[in-house]
């Protein structure tokens, strides 16, 4: 299960080489070791919903084009899908790529909006909410970590064995790509209002146009294929998931302060 990566759309503009090193070179290093192993392992790895880039058709399906990345991060994940396909074809590695849609929850990435909003609302600091053209909403298909974990485990459980050994292919091997999302895009403004309710604090908001930094206006997963082949069925709505996150956040950071 390969989940290591340099994540985040915006940081890619500041440090592009870190994305190439981790998401391209790092992935190739892993595949090189796996192809030569005897027996070869099965690989499940993290791609991203960002590969759908500038697509306007929703919900995003695995059959849709994914060759219009809007960020370098997205481009490295699309490159990963192409690279894993070549290793599958040449060496018989069994590989499943999972396109995650805005995963959130306890122990999540501190650079993500829901995490930053929670921190700044509690500190009474102003938060920045981005809008699309004509003040339209930016929306994300927020997917709770527990649902994603179930999808990851199902991908492992349904993987077929690799067909090569010692770097030599002995037959066709399984190659799959699935969306793991929640199928319910939520405007970022609603995310903020849920956090205000849970934190019992009104946010100080600043509305700005969505910058040209690779962020897309919306994401929306079609999970028909994952439901059919992995039995994937998310069950956590955003308010329920954020309630669990806020409980963890307050407990975790209060414990940290007390230990200082």
């Amino acid at each position: 299960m390969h989940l290591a990566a340099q994540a985040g759309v915006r940081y890619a503009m500041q440090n592009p080489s870190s994305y190439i090193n981790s998401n391209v070179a790092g992935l190739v290093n892993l595949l090189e070791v796996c192809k030569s192993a005897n027996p070869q392992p099965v690989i499940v790895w993290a791609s991203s919903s960002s590969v759908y880039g500038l697509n306007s058709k929703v919900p995003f399906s695995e059959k849709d084009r994914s060759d219009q990345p809007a960020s370098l991060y997205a481009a490295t994940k699309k490159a990963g899908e192409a690279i894993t396909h070549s290793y599958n074809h040449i060496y018989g590695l069994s590989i499943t790529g999972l396109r995650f849609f805005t995963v959130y929850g306890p122990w999540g990435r501190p650079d993500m909006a829901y995490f930053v909003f929670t921190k700044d609302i509690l500190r009474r600091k102003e938060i920045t909410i981005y809008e699309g053209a004509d003040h339209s909403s930016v929306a994300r298909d927020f997917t709770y970590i527990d649902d994603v974990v179930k999808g990851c485990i199902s991908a492992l459980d349904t993987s077929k064995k690799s067909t090569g050994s010692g770097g030599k292919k002995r037959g066709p091997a399984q190659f799959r790509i699935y969306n793991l999302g929640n199928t319910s895009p939520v405007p970022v403004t609603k995310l903020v209002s849920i956090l205000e309710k849970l934190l019992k604090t009104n946010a100080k908001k600043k509305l700005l146009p969505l910058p040209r930094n690779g962020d897309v206006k919306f994401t929306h997963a079609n999970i028909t294929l994952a439901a059919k082949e992995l039995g994937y069925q998310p069950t956590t709505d955003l308010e329920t998931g954020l309630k669990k996150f806020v409980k963890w956040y307050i407990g975790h950071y209060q414990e940290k302060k007390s230990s200082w």
Side-chain angles (χ1 to χ4, degrees):
M1 174 69 75
H2 175 51
L3 302 177
Q6 176 64 65
V9 166
R10 296 172 195 172
Y11 185 58
M13 296 179 72
Q14 301 172 42
N15 190 0
S17 62
S18 68
Y19 288 75
I20 303 302
N21 290 338
S22 294
N23 300 356
V24 180
L27 177 61
V28 170
N29 288 341
L30 178 98
L31 294 169
E32 278 292 304
V33 171
C34 291
K35 76 155 198 211
S36 301
N38 193 5
Q40 289 177 337
V42 162
I43 299 168
V44 176
W45 74 286
S47 184
S48 169
S49 63
S50 67
V51 301
Y52 292 111
L54 301 177
N55 283 9
S56 56
K57 171 188 159 291
V58 289
F60 298 149
S61 164
E62 294 89 346
K63 295 177 183 177
D64 296 339
R65 66 185 297 181
S66 54
D67 58 353
Q68 305 177 96
S71 67
L72 177 64
Y73 168 66
T76 62
K77 286 299 185 180
K78 181 58 185 174
E81 292 186 355
I83 290 166
T84 52
H85 184 275
S86 68
Y87 273 78
N88 163 268
H89 174 69
I90 297 169
Y91 300 111
L93 284 168
S94 173
I95 301 176
T96 302
L98 302 175
R99 293 173 175 172
F100 295 157
F101 281 71
T102 316
V103 183
Y104 74 99
W107 301 102
R109 278 174 33 215
D111 62 311
M112 290 185 71
Y114 75 95
F115 206 116
V116 174
F117 288 165
T118 299
K119 178 178 71 174
D120 287 346
I121 290 171
L122 286 172
R123 293 180 179 181
R124 308 295 195 274
K125 288 178 65 178
E126 187 176 70
I127 64 171
T128 301
I129 301 173
Y130 292 113
E131 300 178 311
D134 301 319
H135 303 289
S136 56
S137 294
V138 171
R140 292 288 180 268
D141 198 343
F142 296 99
T143 314
Y144 189 63
I145 182 61
D146 288 16
D147 290 325
V148 170
V149 168
K150 289 174 187 172
C152 289
I153 292 171
S154 293
L156 284 172
D157 288 346
T158 56
S159 289
K160 294 180 180 176
K161 290 182 178 180
S162 294
T163 60
S165 62
K168 292 183 179 179
K169 179 180 176 181
R170 309 204 186 286
Q174 187 181 56
F175 184 82
R176 307 178 297 173
I177 291 178
Y178 297 108
N179 290 337
L180 293 189
N182 200 46
T183 75
S184 304
V186 176
V188 174
T189 49
K190 184 176 180 183
L191 165 75
V192 172
S193 67
I194 294 171
L195 286 173
E196 288 178 310
K197 174 183 166 187
L198 293 171
L199 297 169
K200 299 181 174 62
T201 306
N202 290 327
K204 298 176 182 177
K205 305 164 196 165
K206 178 168 69 174
L207 301 176
L208 289 176
L210 192 66
R212 287 184 171 274
N213 59 8
D215 271 331
V216 294
K217 188 182 169 187
F218 56 83
T219 59
H220 184 181
N222 178 332
I223 61 166
T224 304
L225 189 63
K228 178 183 175 184
E229 298 187 6
L230 301 181
Y232 174 73
Q233 199 60 54
T235 58
T236 312
D237 63 76
L238 184 58
E239 184 156 356
T240 301
L242 285 176
K243 188 174 183 180
K244 293 179 180 180
F245 166 74
V246 166
K247 182 179 179 182
W248 167 82
Y249 183 95
I250 292 172
H252 180 69
Y253 284 98
Q254 280 182 344
E255 286 171 17
K256 266 193 169 181
K257 282 181 181 177
S258 64
S259 68
W260 294 343

